[in-house]
Amino acid sequence: MPRSHRRAFTLIELLVVIAIIAILIGLLLPAVQKVREAAARTTCTNNLKQIGLGTHGIHDAMNSLPPAIGHFPAADTSWQTEAPPVWILPYVEQGALFSAIRAQGGINPGTAGATDYNGNSPVVPKTYLCPSDATYTQAPGISGSTLQSFSEYAVNGHVFGTVTTTVSGGLPVSSNFSWVGYKTFFSGFPDGLSNTILWIEKVAVCNSAANGAGGSRWAARGQGSWMPTIGDVEGTGNHLAPTLKPQVGVSSPTQCDWFQPSSSHTGGLQATLGDGSVRFISGSVSQATFNMALVPDDGLVLGSDW
């Protein structure tokens, strides 16, 4: 009985198969990346929602919002002045971390590494990290959950601080910024809670700096500080800069300015509003609308691009 012979693939057929596989991979890879970014964005949304709930929780317990930087309550001067990312820790299920920071004397904002007074880099809760941020692995001293900027979400200085705001040419302009605010949800938001930004995304590190600050800086208020804040350029002058708009699609520290809100998301970035909701703000939002969303008491109506 004659043996049957199996026909082998020719070189051309093999190349065709390889080409088809390569095409399929090329088609699938963008889809996988989109799914991954969608999942990361969902995590980021959940983080901001949790932070918003924590902010409302501390307000309910203390009858005011914490200051951008200060003692809280104001009469408690027994330890280092801190900022909202620290103050709300017990209200985002991080009470043990809050107690540890307090026991160590707080986080030292005067050091480039934002260490505590024992020289240890603070452990950053996952709630404060956006998985989409393409910059945090590109900065020195960052490893795993240890991030020298204590939060990748910035507070709105016009809410947690005190700013003198006037309206000029249909735009809110401001000066005389103070880190201490102690606003309440009942009287501090005449424009409406749903029309005012509380927290917003800000990538871990930016190399570009406005006002001659220069150098590689954390996405914070300055000098390697650990507390990201927007709308509060240090010193005097207008704290609603003409370029204070979302920087989106950031993939490198060289693509962002440390004074500005920023995100690695495509097309926009996310913010927690005063009512606790989370909103995706387009990167093409007008300057006027964005400025108005930062100021809780300018009496202006948000534009249609909000």
Side-chain angles (χ1 to χ4, degrees), residues 31-298:
V32 171
Q33 291 173 336
K34 287 182 179 180
V35 170
R36 184 181 292 116
E37 167 54 22
R41 179 171 158 179
T42 298
T43 298
C44 189
T45 300
N46 291 338
N47 287 347
L48 283 165
K49 183 66 176 178
Q50 185 72 14
I51 289 170
L53 291 173
T55 304
H56 274 262
I58 196 171
H59 177 277
D60 292 346
M62 308 295 285
N63 296 315
S64 80
L65 293 173
I69 293 181
H71 297 287
F72 195 58
D76 182 7
T77 60
S78 62
W79 65 304
Q80 171 71 26
T81 57
E82 294 294 350
V86 174
W87 293 122
I88 71 167
L89 284 173
Y91 301 89
V92 291
E93 301 183 343
Q94 293 292 332
L97 179 57
F98 177 81
S99 298
I101 290 174
R102 176 160 189 167
Q104 294 168 155
I107 301 175
N108 183 3
T111 61
T115 58
D116 60 41
Y117 289 116
N118 291 334
N120 303 310
S121 293
V123 175
V124 181
K126 288 184 178 180
T127 305
Y128 289 172
L129 300 175
C130 178
S132 293
D133 186 356
T135 72
Y136 78 93
T137 58
Q138 303 176 43
I142 291 178
S143 175
S145 61
T146 300
L147 182 63
Q148 294 183 17
S149 180
F150 192 58
S151 175
E152 289 181 9
Y153 303 106
V155 298
N156 180 1
H158 291 261
V159 167
F160 293 88
T162 300
V163 188
T164 302
T165 305
T166 58
V167 177
S168 176
L171 272 175
V173 295
S174 55
S175 60
N176 301 320
F177 181 85
S178 168
W179 294 104
V180 179
Y182 301 114
K183 285 187 178 67
T184 69
F185 285 139
F186 306 109
S187 62
F189 295 76
D191 290 353
L193 292 174
S194 62
N195 297 323
T196 307
I197 294 171
L198 287 187
W199 299 76
I200 199 165
E201 289 188 78
K202 199 167 187 183
V203 297
V205 63
C206 292
N207 289 337
S208 175
N211 299 333
S216 179
R217 303 290 189 183
W218 302 112
R221 64 179 179 86
Q223 290 75 52
S225 179
W226 44 268
M227 198 278 290
T229 311
I230 62 168
D232 66 334
V233 179
E234 293 189 24
T236 60
N238 182 18
H239 296 273
L240 288 170
T243 58
L244 189 63
K245 287 180 61 178
Q247 303 168 105
V248 302
V250 175
S251 60
S252 167
T254 61
Q255 296 177 340
C256 56
D257 187 309
W258 68 313
F259 280 114
Q260 316 298 345
S262 52
S263 169
S264 294
H265 299 307
T266 301
L269 78 176
Q270 301 185 98
T272 302
L273 305 183
D275 62 357
S277 63
V278 178
R279 188 181 191 90
F280 188 78
I281 301 174
S282 170
S284 62
V285 65
S286 68
Q287 186 66 63
T289 296
F290 190 72
N291 281 19
M292 293 171 191
L294 288 176
V295 181
D297 56 358
D298 56 26

